[in-house]
Structure formats: structure tokens, C-alpha cells
Amino acid sequence: MSKAAALLRRFMPSLVPVSGWERLRASCGALIGVLSTGFVSTVAVGADASLPLLIAPMGASAVLLFAAPSSPLAQPWSIVGGNVVSATVGVTCALLIPNPVVAAAIAIALAIGAMLLLGCLHPPSGAVALTAVLGGPVIREAGYAFVFSPVAINSLVILTAALIFNNLTGRRYPHLAPAPNPHRTEDPLPSQRLGVVPDDLQAVLAQYGEIVYISPEELDSFIHQAQIRAFTRRSGEITCGEIMSRDVLTVAPDTPLRKAWRMLVAHRIQALPVVTQKDGMVGMITQADFMKHTTLAADGRLQIGLRERIGNIIGLPAKSPRLVSEIMMPRVQSALPETMIAKLVPPMADMGLHHMPIVDADNRVVGIVTQSDLIAALFQGRLDAVQQVA
């Protein structure tokens, strides 16, 4: 590479590779968002309104909302708060400062300061402040009405479009902080007790004291995913199919609870996949489900109360659950036989999953991996690595 090419390359942004689907998704989202904003604004204000129905900064907002929805600068409070605050600042400067150039400079400076203070920094909002000052006599005459229409209306409509479109196309929006410890304790999740932890990221970001275009939670997720990939290489790429139990007991949704409980007790297991001939795995039933929905006798058998016994005799409907389908978990996380075992660590360590059903491409149960299976595999993989070094 020549020196000139190397120099030019330094001025190019280092962007993460984006798939063709993501490029199409973002472009279609912007199309739908801007069209929706213009249409709703026309209906709400009227096509003959003196103020513009759609302001140019909405194009910049669309880039963030649909192409970078996980950015802290693209969150709901950022767009609504940033645009409304900046419009208010811009109108105020336009009314109080006769020189438009001076008013524009002061407006953008105050808008940035206000957005940083209120935690709603949104780059397109700087253009909103300038539009309020330099938008012409119509906007100047409208005064603070410009804050409501078109700024607030445009912001709320394009935000609503982003909420619907992003979630329908597989992008989580708004970007929410990760769920707390499922055990409701103050301890960090198991996967966050070693290596880089969230507190480390917060401390480093605090040292810089600068604005970053990615949330600490998203950055932490990227780092942990990279660690899992690295661990997968070190663990010899062991798959679920290599360690899973293949002789798996299953039940149907219409299996009586008594029978399912006897299977758990007899085989000393804690969970049973629920399957159908048509759909494959449709749920999971665990000992915890029995504890929540039934009563156990002193000898460990399922207990039916006097009310239910009398109801059975006289034909009244039972009050307590009778079938597996009534207490099973219908939404169950599963894995494929070719899934690397390293990917089971976060759900089993952090989410408290004790069993991971293994299904084929047709959702048929072909095995199950327990926490014991995973621990044994990780220990053996580590032992093999040590022996190779020795």
C-alpha cells in the first residue's frame, strides 16, 4: 500500500461490517418513518399550514433511529427531549438576538449544553436549533408554536414508527438495560464475576469523560460474546451433540400430572420435555413447576385435597391442575446438536437454567444437556488442555 493510500485510509471510518439485510432494513425503515411522519403531520396540522410539515433534521434522526437504534443518541428521550429542548432554545435566541448569525451560534451552543445537562443528546437536534433561527420569517413569526408543530409532532411520529418497525424487524428498541440478577440478590451474574465486568467498563469510560456512541451495556455484551468465542476455541469446540444425554424421557401435553411426577421421582431427574407428534417440543415441565402449582404429601406423592375428591365424585370441574399442559413452561430455550457448549454457559450460569433441551432442525428432541453435563465437559476440556501443555 502506498503512503498516499495509507494516509487516505486513516481518514476513513472504521465501521463494523453490515449485512445486506441490515442495509435494506435500515433503508426501508427510514422510508417508512419519514413517510409516516409527513403523512401524520399533514393530517394533524393540515396541508395548507404555513409552517413546514416536515423539517430537515428528521432525516438525520431517521439515520440514527433506523440504522443505529442501539446508540444512546437514538433513544426515545434523546430524540423527543433533544428536539424539543433545542427548538425552544432556538426560538428563544431568535426572538432575543437580532443578528441571525450570532443567534444561530449561541443557539447551538446552548442547545448542546442543555441536552448534555438533561441527558438527551441527539445530534440532529443541533439542526433543529439552527432551523428555529435561520428557517425564515414564517418560523420566526410562529415563535414557540414551532416547538409544538412541526418539531414535537415530527419527533413523536418518527419515534413511534421506529418503535414499531425496529421491533418487527428483529432489532430491540428502545435499548433497555439488561435484566437484574434473576435470584434478586446484589451479587453480579456468574458470567460477570471474572474477566471484564461492567464496573470495569464504567471506570474506563469515566476516565475518558467523553461521549461514546455505544452504551456500556451494549459494549459489555460485545466483550462477553467475544470472550465466549475465544473460550470456544480454547475448549476444543466441543458441541452439545457430543455431551448430551440421548435417552430422553418426554411427556405429552395431555399426560396426567401424577404420571409425570412419578417419572421425575423414579428416574431422579428434574425436568421433562413436553412434546407432540406434530410440533415436536412445545414446552418443559420441571420440579419447580410442580412445587408452584400442586401440593406434595409427606411421602412425596402428589396430594389431592378433599374438595377435589368430592368434585371428582359428583362431576364438578377440578380446581387444581390435572394435566401437564396446565403447568408446563410453553416457551423454552433450546439448542442444536452442533451448538458449541460455550454458548450454554450464559443461560445456565446467569439465567439459572438447569436443563437445555437439544432439538434437531424439525424441533424434535434428540437429547438434553444438564448443568452436570456442562461442568463435566468444561472440566475435561480444561484437563485435556493442561495435559497437552505438559
Side-chain angles (χ1 to χ4, degrees):
M1 182 183 297
S2 65
K3 291 184 178 181
L7 180 61
L8 288 175
R9 189 171 182 178
R10 293 179 60 187
F11 288 93
M12 304 219 19
S14 179
L15 298 177
V16 176
V18 179
S19 66
W21 157 248
E22 179 60 20
R23 290 194 292 268
L24 178 62
R25 191 203 67 81
S27 299
C28 291
L31 172 65
I32 294 173
V34 175
L35 275 177
S36 303
T37 303
F39 176 76
V40 173
S41 298
T42 302
V43 173
V45 181
D48 57 348
S50 58
L51 285 169
L53 298 173
L54 193 63
I55 54 175
M58 289 301 108
S61 294
V63 174
L64 283 171
L65 286 171
F66 297 100
S70 62
S71 169
L73 309 180
Q75 302 313 299
W77 172 235
S78 299
I79 179 173
V80 176
N83 285 346
V84 170
V85 167
S86 297
T88 304
V89 170
V91 170
T92 302
C93 290
L95 294 175
L96 298 179
I97 304 173
N99 189 310
V101 175
V102 175
I106 294 177
I108 186 65
L110 293 179
I112 292 175
M115 287 188 288
L116 288 173
L117 180 64
L118 298 174
C120 57
L121 186 66
H122 186 62
S125 299
V128 173
L130 291 181
T131 302
V133 176
L134 306 175
V138 174
I139 293 179
R140 181 182 293 271
E141 291 174 6
Y144 289 104
F146 173 74
V147 177
F148 171 74
S149 175
V151 174
I153 293 178
N154 281 187
S155 301
L156 290 172
V157 175
I158 200 170
L159 172 61
T160 302
L163 284 167
I164 297 173
F165 182 84
N166 283 327
N167 285 285
L168 287 178
T169 55
R171 293 297 300 273
R172 183 182 61 176
Y173 184 82
H175 181 74
L176 304 176
N181 190 321
H183 303 295
R184 299 180 181 179
T185 65
E186 296 299 325
D187 289 326
L189 295 174
S191 63
Q192 296 177 348
R193 298 174 191 172
L194 297 174
V196 178
V197 299
D199 287 344
D200 296 330
L201 296 177
Q202 294 286 1
V204 172
L205 294 175
Q207 289 179 355
Y208 279 89
E210 299 176 359
I211 300 168
V212 293
Y213 290 87
I214 184 172
S215 67
E217 294 83 11
E218 194 81 6
L219 183 59
D220 181 57
S221 175
F222 290 160
I223 291 175
H224 278 89
Q225 290 180 42
Q227 289 175 332
I228 289 175
R229 287 181 62 87
F231 178 77
T232 298
R233 292 194 305 271
R234 294 195 301 268
S235 63
E237 299 187 349
I238 304 173
T239 65
C240 293
E242 297 178 63
I243 69 169
M244 68 183 185
S245 301
R246 299 176 183 274
D247 185 13
V248 182
L249 296 174
T250 63
V251 292
D254 57 355
T255 301
L257 286 179
R258 284 183 177 276
K259 180 178 179 181
W261 177 253
R262 286 197 297 267
M263 292 173 66
L264 290 175
V265 173
H267 294 274
R268 297 183 180 181
I269 54 179
Q270 297 184 15
L272 290 167
V274 184
V275 301
T276 65
Q277 187 67 29
K278 176 183 177 182
D279 301 317
M281 189 177 69
V282 295
M284 198 88 166
I285 186 169
T286 67
Q287 287 187 1
D289 297 321
F290 280 96
M291 301 301 176
K292 288 189 296 184
H293 298 285
T294 63
T295 303
L296 297 180
D299 57 1
R301 295 179 300 172
L302 286 184
Q303 189 176 47
I304 298 179
L306 178 62
R307 180 176 180 179
E308 282 71 26
R309 292 180 184 275
I310 296 175
N312 289 338
I313 296 173
I314 64 178
L316 292 178
K319 298 296 182 180
S320 59
R322 297 291 183 181
L323 302 177
V324 166
S325 59
E326 298 178 61
I327 69 171
M328 72 178 189
M329 295 181 293
R331 297 182 182 86
V332 180
Q333 188 172 353
S334 61
L336 297 171
E338 59 268 24
T339 301
M340 301 301 172
I341 63 171
K343 292 187 177 181
L344 302 190
V345 174
M348 285 192 164
D350 296 344
M351 298 170 58
L353 298 183
H354 295 276
H355 301 77
M356 180 68 72
I358 310 301
V359 299
D360 60 15
D362 297 322
N363 198 38
R364 306 295 172 183
V365 177
V366 295
I368 195 167
V369 174
T370 67
Q371 285 185 342
S372 300
D373 297 328
L374 182 61
I375 292 172
L378 295 175
F379 174 77
Q380 186 61 46
R382 181 61 178 170
L383 184 62
D384 292 343
V386 172
Q387 290 176 345
Q388 290 178 3
V389 173

